[in-house]
Amino acid sequence: MQDHAYRSRQLALPLAAIFAAIILSVGTLLGSSGTANAQQTTASSDRVWQDLKGDVFGDRAILVDSGVVRIEAPKRAQDAAIVPVDIYIDPAKAPDGIKSVTLIIDVNPAPVAATFQIGKDAGVTHLSTRVRVNDYSYLRAIAETQGGELHMAQTFVKASGGCSAPAVKNQDEAKATMGQMKLRQFPPQETMTKAQELQLMIRHPNNSGLQRNPLTQYFIPAHFVQKLSISQADRPILSMEGGISISEDPNFRFDFKAHGDGEIQVEAIDTDGKVFRNQWPLEATGL
């Protein structure tokens, strides 16, 4: 398990050497001429995945389309730098519970976009965020049950250039507002689960390391939210270890089972070691 976690972190790190190795291996696997703008296919994306999955999950069996997890994203993205993705978990098909979900974008320079750890008894069944997609690629959600089974769902997205797309905000403005958070709360739905739903928004440039300064044309150093934890009264709900594929101004929406009326607590840590914290009473209306 420790080796698995180490390998996952290595794939998410924005080090130049890792970028170069992965980009080179992708080009070799696809038989491309090395052009960055080549549009990939379902077959070429799958070849990348077949070579990649051993580095992330070793030789563990991965069950495909079992119904435990489902992933949705637009077939053709309007903006490759902010592609919405929704992950759904069916608790009825995983009675022992889901421990984590890993989001992978096959042909991105750092394919492991994020690994989400789900708190025990947190009741998370839906999670959405926004990602960068660098080329036509499968997006994959791999859920790990408490018992150690791996279940995968996938969807193919047509998008290109998301990791190198210019930042939406001025870098000075981004630095001035960095770490600011907003929490939007949605009341429990009248369902059997009566789940609470939250949307967390964090101001952060989440620079990928592949974007250029428009004035100097030098690459902007990678700088992104690497770790995130969300809890209610110190009870873990959701945590994330992320990489360069999470979009600028990270945005996460998810449901959970509230226990009492304890406060929602959030801590985010970026790759520069900056720590951002905030908390809200559960009954707050948010924005």
Side-chain angles (χ1 to χ4, degrees):
M1 185 63 69
Q2 289 179 343
D3 181 62
H4 158 59
Y6 170 77
R7 290 184 177 188
S8 298
R9 286 194 296 270
Q10 287 295 95
L11 283 169
L13 287 174
L15 299 179
I18 295 176
F19 281 167
I22 294 176
I23 292 170
L24 178 62
S25 67
V26 169
T28 302
L29 284 166
L30 301 180
S32 70
S33 60
T35 57
N37 296 323
Q39 291 179 348
Q40 311 307 338
T41 66
T42 55
S44 61
S45 181
D46 200 59
R47 287 198 294 272
V48 174
W49 164 244
Q50 293 303 322
D51 186 69
L52 167 69
K53 66 180 182 180
D55 291 327
V56 186
F57 298 106
D59 59 359
R60 301 169 67 191
I62 301 176
L63 303 175
V64 181
D65 295 331
S66 61
V68 169
V69 63
R70 178 165 54 93
I71 184 170
E72 294 182 359
K75 294 185 182 300
R76 185 179 294 276
Q78 293 184 351
D79 187 337
I82 46 172
V83 179
V85 56
D86 288 87
I87 298 170
Y88 297 90
I89 296 167
D90 186 345
K93 296 184 178 179
D96 59 343
I98 296 298
K99 179 166 59 176
S100 67
V101 178
T102 300
L103 175 60
I104 288 179
I105 306 172
D106 287 352
V107 304
N108 271 16
V112 179
T115 297
F116 299 94
Q117 300 289 334
I118 298 174
K120 191 172 179 60
D121 301 322
V124 175
T125 64
H126 173 231
L127 166 65
S128 68
T129 188
R130 305 179 306 189
V131 297
R132 298 179 170 113
V133 178
N134 211 46
D135 204 341
Y136 287 22
S137 180
Y138 274 117
L139 273 60
R140 305 176 191 269
I142 298 94
E144 180 175 3
T145 68
Q146 293 290 345
E149 287 186 345
L150 298 176
H151 298 260
M152 183 176 77
Q154 60 195 29
T155 187
F156 193 76
V157 173
K158 295 181 178 180
S160 59
C163 292
S164 58
V168 176
K169 290 184 176 59
N170 175 282
Q171 289 295 302
D172 291 335
E173 179 188 350
K175 289 179 182 178
T177 60
M178 188 183 304
Q180 293 180 4
M181 300 183 193
K182 292 183 179 179
L183 186 75
R184 187 178 182 187
Q185 301 191 33
F186 303 87
Q189 301 298 312
E190 293 302 320
T191 64
M192 293 298 291
T193 61
K194 296 192 180 297
Q196 187 89 13
E197 192 170 8
L198 303 177
Q199 183 179 17
L200 175 67
M201 294 154 275
I202 306 172
R203 293 288 190 188
H204 200 286
N206 254 38
N207 296 129
S208 67
L210 300 175
Q211 300 155 300
R212 292 181 184 270
N213 183 304
L215 298 178
T216 66
Q217 289 302 303
Y218 290 126
F219 285 105
I220 300 169
H223 180 206
F224 54 89
V225 174
Q226 188 172 35
K227 293 184 179 181
L228 174 69
S229 63
I230 305 168
S231 59
Q232 183 198 9
D234 297 320
R235 182 179 66 91
I237 298 173
L238 187 70
S239 64
M240 179 203 72
E241 186 166 348
I244 67 169
S245 297
I246 300 297
S247 298
E248 179 178 354
D249 291 338
N251 187 313
F252 306 96
R253 183 166 175 166
F254 57 94
D255 62 357
F256 78 106
K257 292 181 180 177
H259 287 209
D261 59 358
E263 289 189 325
I264 301 298
Q265 303 155 328
V266 175
E267 179 181 272
I269 304 174
D270 71 12
T271 48
D272 282 356
K274 292 185 174 66
V275 180
F276 312 104
R277 296 186 180 94
N278 212 329
Q279 58 188 34
W280 300 263
L282 188 62
E283 68 275 13
T285 56
L287 298 178

